[in-house]
Amino acid sequence: MSHPTETSRTGPAVSLSEIGFDRLEPVERAVEIRCATGDWWTADWRGPPVSAVVDRAAVPPETTHLVFETADGYRACLDVHAALDGVLAIAMDGEPLDAAERPRLVCPGVEGIRTVKGVSAVVPVSLSCDEDPGELEALGIGESDDAETAE
């Protein structure tokens, strides 16, 4: 998996702390989460909308995708239109999320593995129609740096 390259970036990585994420007005949205295991549930998620982060960060208009990153290297790349419907949740069903899970990206219609927990930065990218957004992801599926874990 590669990291978003300078050629695909339309702007710098946007650190949530740098844009005053904690001062953005939260909204509440009911969003269904569907896991790869087949489990699913709908919850009321509360947090700033992704659109407010994009506005605050002055994301360039040619942006086609947003890469959501965590401090530990987990990355999910979403089409900008799907991402703009999302929330960077700090609470679920009225209860605060654990500190390690805040904020959690939740978007209608986005599979559970891309509901990134502990988002620390958003990277705007511009991809051509022949570029695979999956190449910018690090979802941890089947990946292990520790050979003993696999045993």
Side-chain angles (χ1 to χ4, degrees):
M1 304 284 165
S2 62
H3 190 275
T5 65
E6 292 301 320
T7 57
S8 65
R9 285 185 186 207
T10 59
V14 177
S15 166
L16 295 186
S17 61
E18 290 175 9
I19 63 163
F21 174 79
D22 56 341
R23 294 187 306 274
L24 294 174
E25 187 69 32
V27 297
E28 191 163 305
R29 292 197 180 135
V31 177
E32 179 181 89
I33 303 292
R34 289 195 175 267
C35 291
T37 63
D39 292 338
W40 62 271
W41 73 95
T42 299
D44 290 321
W45 300 91
R46 183 170 178 75
V50 172
S51 59
V53 172
V54 166
D55 288 344
R56 177 75 59 96
V59 169
E62 63 272 15
T63 299
T64 62
H65 292 76
L66 296 173
V67 177
F68 294 85
E69 298 182 334
T70 67
D72 64 0
Y74 194 94
R75 292 187 306 275
C77 183
L78 295 163
D79 173 275
V80 71
H81 298 293
L84 288 175
D85 286 338
V87 171
L88 288 167
I90 56 174
M92 179 181 76
D93 291 334
E95 296 293 322
L97 296 174
D98 291 336
E101 294 184 359
R102 289 190 308 250
R104 181 176 182 171
L105 171 68
V106 290
C107 299
V110 172
E111 59 192 346
I113 196 157
R114 288 186 172 79
T115 62
V116 180
K117 298 175 185 175
V119 175
S120 61
V122 179
V123 181
V125 295
S126 179
L127 300 177
S128 66
C129 59
D130 62 337
E131 290 180 286
D132 180 8
E135 292 296 316
L136 301 178
E137 297 186 322
L139 300 176
I141 304 170
E143 298 172 13
S144 175
D145 292 334
D146 186 357
E148 293 178 21
T149 305
E151 294 179 9

